[in-house]
Amino acid sequence: MNSIHDCYTLTNGIKIPCIAYGTYKAADGNSSEIIRTAIDAGYRYFDTASFYQTEEYLAEAIQDSGIAREEFFIATKLWKDEMGYEQAKEAFQRSLERLKTDYVDLYLIHWPRPDAGYADWKQLDLDTWRALEELYREGRVKAIGLSNFLPHHIENLIQHAEVMPMVNQIEFHPGYAQEATVRYCQERGILVQAWSPMGRTRVLNDPLILELAAKYQVSAAQICLRFAVQKQVIPLPKSSSLERMKQNQELFSFAISQEDMYRLETMPQTGWSGQHPDL
Ligand code: A2P
């Protein structure tokens, strides 16, 4: 990968840019303006979700930009209360309407279970997935996948799935690199994506990250994002400032050495959000 426009190829042949812009928490008053700034900064892959309440802002920003819909890669997700076969189809329709488009590039199940006490999550995941498979076959989504699924959740799904998930989006950053889940996915051709690739700034003051930032003459944020790139994980950084939006794309003029990658991979747990899919 040499720029944010370079792509991975999903198992079904669809190209997906190697860096996305995350729209979560861009839901303040001026968020279509922030997303518009991100478009101007060069981002074309936007990650949203029905839960984020940013789909409409994204639609507005894209419309304002005058850039054709096909130039964008749009990913969205159905929320915990939109799981189930019928519910998923209705949720998808609502997302399309908010996004003012007739297809999405990537559609994900946001979490594997509605809450810790939900006993029959296995069946619920299968019913939801069946809806996504149909949307995929109808060409209304170019690719389908998961978010926050751990190996045991994925294992249940793929035992019955007709279409394999192409993506799994998880919390991923130095200090919480979820090695078991990443390895499980990558061995099966499921592309991993990182939400909170900077641990929502919680890891930016870690001594190792600061040491490496000084060594490679980049920012702490760039160390975190480059770490994802070198793990073949798509980071979804978010920022409200044009300067940082641009900085977060400058990840291709340096490489973290193997020794330093090992150190980042094995640093003590740092900056975990506290969100576990089963808890
Ligand atoms: P800001 O909007 O002021 O740029 P994550 O994507 O891991 O959840 O982290 C998002 C947070 O990281 C936001 O608070 C954002 O703040 C901050 N952030 C984004 N890019 C950078 C950067 N290059 N340097 C420092 N902080 C950043």
Side-chain angles (χ1 to χ4, degrees), residues 41-71:
Y43 292 95
R44 290 294 177 270
Y45 174 2
F46 287 85
D47 180 79
T48 180
S50 65
F51 179 72
Y52 301 167
Q53 299 186 350
T54 52
E55 292 171 313
E56 280 160 324
Y57 296 126
L58 177 57
E60 200 178 314
I62 289 177
Q63 207 160 32
D64 278 3
S65 75
I67 299 169
R69 161 70 182 91
E70 303 73 54
E71 299 290 314

Side-chain angles (χ1 to χ4, degrees), residues 24 173 195-202 204 219-222 225 236-241 243-245 247-248:
Y24 182 47
H173 50 77
W195 61 260
S196 276
M198 296 168 268
R200 207 145 298 156
T201 72
R202 287 181 294 265
L204 298 183
S219 70
Q222 287 168 311
L225 298 172
L236 315 151
K238 43 189 176 294
S239 177
S240 51
S241 106
E243 187 198 338
R244 287 189 290 280
M245 286 174 189
Q247 184 196 112
N248 295 345

Side-chain angles (χ1 to χ4, degrees), residues 78 107-109 128-136 141 144-145:
L78 62 86
Y107 197 44
L108 309 177
I109 304 178
T128 309
W129 189 249
R130 197 156 48 84
L132 266 65
E133 287 178 329
E134 280 185 25
L135 294 168
Y136 174 68
V141 298
I144 51 177

Side-chain angles (χ1 to χ4, degrees), residues 95-112:
S95 278
L96 279 191
E97 281 160 23
R98 288 189 294 260
L99 286 163
K100 296 192 176 67
T101 182
D102 54 5
Y103 74 97
V104 299
D105 296 278
L106 177 63
Y107 197 44
L108 309 177
I109 304 178
H110 208 141
W111 290 89

Side-chain angles (χ1 to χ4, degrees), residues 202-215 220 223 263-264 267-268 270:
R202 287 181 294 265
V203 293
L204 298 183
N205 288 319
D206 178 87
L208 174 60
I209 306 283
L210 290 174
E211 179 199 319
L212 297 183
K215 175 176 171 181
I223 291 293
R263 294 174 73 203
L264 288 168
M267 66 189 263
T270 309

Side-chain angles (χ1 to χ4, degrees), residues 13 79 94 105 156 165 177 179 182 202 204 206 211 229 275:
W79 187 236
R94 287 192 295 271
D105 296 278
N156 166 60
E179 193 187 337
V182 171
R202 287 181 294 265
L204 298 183
D206 178 87
E211 179 199 319
V229 170
Q275 291 177 271

